[in-house]
Amino acid sequence: MKDTYRHKGLRQQLAEQIKKKGIIDSAVLEAINKVPRHLFMDSSFLEFAYEDKPFPIGSGQTISQPYTVAFQTELLEIKKGDKVLEVGTGSGYQACILMELGARLYTIERQKSLYIKTKSFLASMGYKPKAISYGDGYKGLPAFAPFDKIIVTAGAPYVPSELIEQLKPGGHLVIPVGTDLQEMKRITKLDDNNIKEEKHGSFRFVPLLTDKAND
Ligand code: SAH
């Protein structure tokens, strides 16, 4: 599958649309403009790739809505070279947006089939995460901690303390918290190790799984 002028044009329109919805960070918009989202989706959904909507990616999971990807990314305030942990690799789209912004990216996925598929897909695209890991994101990635930023891309029933522990002072954890509907939280670890919490509106994500993955 190729990235054609038509795809590029549609992507530009998508970035414009997201900007109108309130994303102001130009580096984030540029990343949306750059990453060929249609390649991250099953071919039957190709024509929908540049609508601002979530879509199924197999294994009962979804690729997040572009606006939501941009919103979470903006909240992270990525600086080039930041060491970033993503919980919920899924299609790898969010991971690539973060890498376009210069993140050194570590990502973890609970579903083996998706982990295998996305790992080889990212390699074929030429994207190089520092690590793609198969495991339980509730535990973070202690072997590589601490991180400048942590993003959770599935709805968490609560904020896992392990993720806060694995955050550097000054770092952000962006996490949608709730069961049916999630509240987007940005948790900042202050230099004295205290926590600051902000709320950034309601979103709907697939759940962060606690039980064994159905591989
Ligand atoms: N960031 C992804 C969004 C995928 S949806 C993208 O850009 O496409 C959320 C993902 O979280 C799913 O792939 C799901 O399998 C994964 N997930 C759910 N529970 C998890 C857990 N406990 N640990 C790691 N990943 C988990």
Side-chain angles (χ1 to χ4, degrees):
M1 215 185 296
K2 285 190 301 199
D3 191 26
T4 65
Y5 279 115
R6 181 172 156 260
H7 293 123
K8 287 183 178 127
L10 289 170
R11 206 146 64 231
Q12 218 156 18
Q13 286 174 20
L14 175 65
E16 281 301 319
Q17 209 180 329
I18 288 172
K19 188 176 177 181
K20 282 199 191 107
K21 289 183 182 174
I23 301 298
I24 54 171
D25 187 329
S26 58
V28 173
L29 293 168
E30 221 169 278
I32 295 281
N33 205 354
K34 198 153 175 208
V35 179
R37 189 171 186 256
H38 64 286
L39 301 180
F40 293 72
M41 298 166 61
D42 293 338
S43 58
S44 50
F45 295 118
L46 194 58
E47 59 192 293
F48 302 116
Y50 296 109
E51 287 185 12
D52 188 22
K53 289 181 182 160
F55 274 102
I57 51 170
S59 309
Q61 299 305 317
T62 60
I63 177 171
S64 304
Q65 181 177 349
Y67 171 75
T68 307
V69 171
F71 190 82
Q72 285 195 283
T73 307
E74 190 170 66
L75 284 178
L76 282 173
E77 299 181 317
I78 301 291
K79 288 193 282 299
K80 223 179 161 61
D82 271 356
K83 190 174 167 189
V84 180
L85 172 65
E86 177 195 30
V87 174
T89 313
S91 68
Y93 178 70
Q94 170 76 73
C96 291
I97 295 287
L98 292 166
M99 286 185 275
E100 285 291 347
L101 289 165
R104 290 182 291 140
L105 204 271
Y106 298 75
T107 182
I108 181 163
E109 171 58 51
R110 185 77 176 81
Q111 296 218 34
K112 197 163 200 177
S113 49
L114 266 179
Y115 156 76
I116 292 169
K117 183 173 159 189
T118 300
K119 190 172 177 155
S120 65
F121 171 69
L122 291 185
S124 76
M125 291 282 289
Y127 281 103
K128 295 191 177 69
K130 294 291 172 194
I132 303 185
S133 187
Y134 166 56
D136 181 7
Y138 277 93
K139 299 189 175 71
L141 220 44
F144 296 103
F147 299 95
D148 294 297
K149 313 280 162 66
I150 300 177
I151 176 174
V152 178
T153 68
Y158 59 90
V159 180
S161 58
E162 286 89 340
L163 298 185
I164 292 181
E165 276 161 26
Q166 291 173 31
L167 205 55
K168 285 186 198 175
H172 295 312
L173 163 63
V174 173
I175 179 168
V177 183
T179 43
D180 203 22
L181 196 67
Q182 292 84 34
E183 184 135 56
M184 190 65 76
K185 292 192 175 177
R186 178 167 66 183
I187 294 166
T188 306
K189 190 181 255 185
L190 304 174
D191 288 335
D192 58 7
N193 274 341
N194 278 329
I195 293 300
K196 182 178 99 177
E197 188 179 301
E198 301 160 289
K199 292 176 180 161
H200 289 277
S202 295
F203 290 82
R204 206 178 287 275
F205 284 78
V206 296
L208 193 65
L209 305 172
T210 47
D211 51 350
K212 271 204 171 316
N214 45 344
D215 306 322

